[in-house]
């Protein structure tokens, strides 16, 4: 038993999230939702931050969306950017089944374009979750900082890439992008941050 399995075993099954994982699998979507333990952490961090507006880059099947929306203040809204309309539709179903359908809006298309549009509209957010194409992570981080309210929380998932990030023999574009993201999270003077190595790694930053 791994440390992660032990920790997950301390908690009972969450039926909304079990249903979501089942729905993702039944539709042959990638099995890449955030780890259970980090999903609980998303809820906690959003609640601790008092977040009312959240931006998610990468909806997939709605697992992380449920976790984030649960932590938002009353009347809060999650804006979820998703490249594939069919994924957003699945996410919406799962969010609705979890009683959170009114707490989310989906913007379909390339996240880079959507982020520029949000900035042009003057939108700002209290909470960010980045879990999309890894080559885009450095760009997404800069946009998140630009769209942040003071004290906003920015989270990036899968920053260890199943060991590829720490393997000096790996030099692919995704690996290089994630290394750049991690380095910026750690050193950017605009941020207060930490990186957690459990599961597949999670970066957490607060915008000063």
């Amino acid at each position: 038993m791994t440390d992660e399995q032990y920790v997950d075993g301390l908690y009972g099954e969450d039926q909304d999230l079990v249903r979501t994982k089942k729905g993702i699998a039944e539709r042959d979507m990638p099995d890449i939702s955030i780890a259970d333990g980090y999903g609980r952490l998303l809820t906690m961090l959003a609640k601790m931050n008092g977040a009312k507006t959240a931006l998610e880059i990468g909806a997939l099947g709605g697992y992380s969306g449920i976790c984030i929306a649960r932590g938002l203040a009353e009347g809060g809204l999650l804006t979820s950017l998703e490249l594939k309309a069919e994924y957003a539709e699945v996410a919406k179903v799962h969010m609705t089944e979890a009683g959170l359908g009114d707490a989310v809006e989906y913007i379909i298309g390339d996240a880079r374009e959507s982020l520029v549009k949000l900035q042009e509209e003057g939108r700002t957010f209290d909470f960010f979750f980045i879990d999309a194409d890894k080559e885009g992570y450095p760009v997404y981080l800069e946009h998140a900082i630009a769209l942040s309210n003071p004290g906003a929380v920015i989270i990036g998932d899968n920053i260890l890439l199943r060991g590829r990030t720490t393997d000096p023999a790996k030099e692919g574009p995704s690996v290089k992008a994630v290394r750049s993201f991690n380095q910026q999270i750690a050193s950017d003077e605009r941020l207060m941050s930490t990186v957690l190595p459990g599961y597949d790694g999670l970066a957490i930053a607060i915008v000063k």
Side-chain angles (χ1 to χ4, degrees):
M1 178 184 293
T2 65
D3 291 345
E4 288 87 352
Q5 288 170 332
Y6 166 75
V7 170
D8 287 340
L10 296 173
Y11 296 86
E13 287 191 338
D14 184 312
Q15 292 307 310
D16 290 331
L17 298 178
V18 169
R19 185 188 311 113
T20 297
K21 283 189 172 181
K22 182 179 179 182
I24 290 170
E26 288 175 347
R27 293 170 175 84
D28 293 321
M29 295 168 65
D31 182 19
I32 53 174
S33 298
I34 192 170
D36 294 347
Y38 284 161
R40 291 188 291 271
L41 185 59
L42 288 182
T43 303
M44 292 176 62
L45 290 173
K47 187 171 289 290
M48 291 166 67
N49 181 253
K52 189 159 187 177
T53 54
L55 179 66
E56 172 185 53
I57 304 175
L60 191 64
Y63 186 104
S64 58
I66 291 171
C67 295
I68 295 167
R70 283 175 171 176
L72 295 180
E74 185 175 355
L77 178 67
L78 168 66
T79 300
S80 185
L81 310 184
E82 174 54 53
L83 180 64
K84 298 183 178 182
E86 61 270 28
Y87 284 7
E89 290 172 4
V90 173
K92 180 69 172 182
V93 167
H94 292 146
M95 291 283 291
T96 301
E97 290 175 343
L100 297 164
D102 293 336
V104 62
E105 64 172 353
Y106 293 95
I107 300 176
I108 310 302
D110 187 290
R112 293 164 182 80
E113 297 175 5
S114 299
L115 289 163
V116 170
K117 186 176 181 182
L118 288 170
Q119 199 165 343
E120 290 172 347
E121 293 172 353
R123 299 278 298 274
T124 58
F125 301 89
D126 304 315
F127 191 92
F128 299 82
F129 181 54
I130 302 170
D131 190 13
D133 63 291
K134 305 314 174 196
E135 290 182 44
Y137 267 41
V139 175
Y140 300 150
L141 178 57
E142 282 295 341
H143 278 294
I145 294 171
L147 290 162
S148 288
N149 291 320
V153 173
I154 301 174
I155 300 173
D157 194 24
N158 304 121
I159 51 85
L160 295 180
L161 295 175
R162 304 296 177 192
R164 287 185 290 148
T165 301
T166 56
D167 184 348
K170 302 296 184 181
E171 290 291 340
S174 292
V175 173
K176 288 182 177 179
V178 169
R179 286 176 184 154
S180 176
F181 172 89
N182 293 342
Q183 187 60 49
Q184 183 173 349
I185 281 279
S187 62
D188 195 309
E189 294 184 355
R190 297 170 292 179
L191 306 173
M192 178 187 301
S193 70
T194 191
V195 174
L196 305 179
Y199 300 97
D200 194 29
L202 197 76
I204 305 172
I206 297 174
V207 180
K208 294 179 181 178

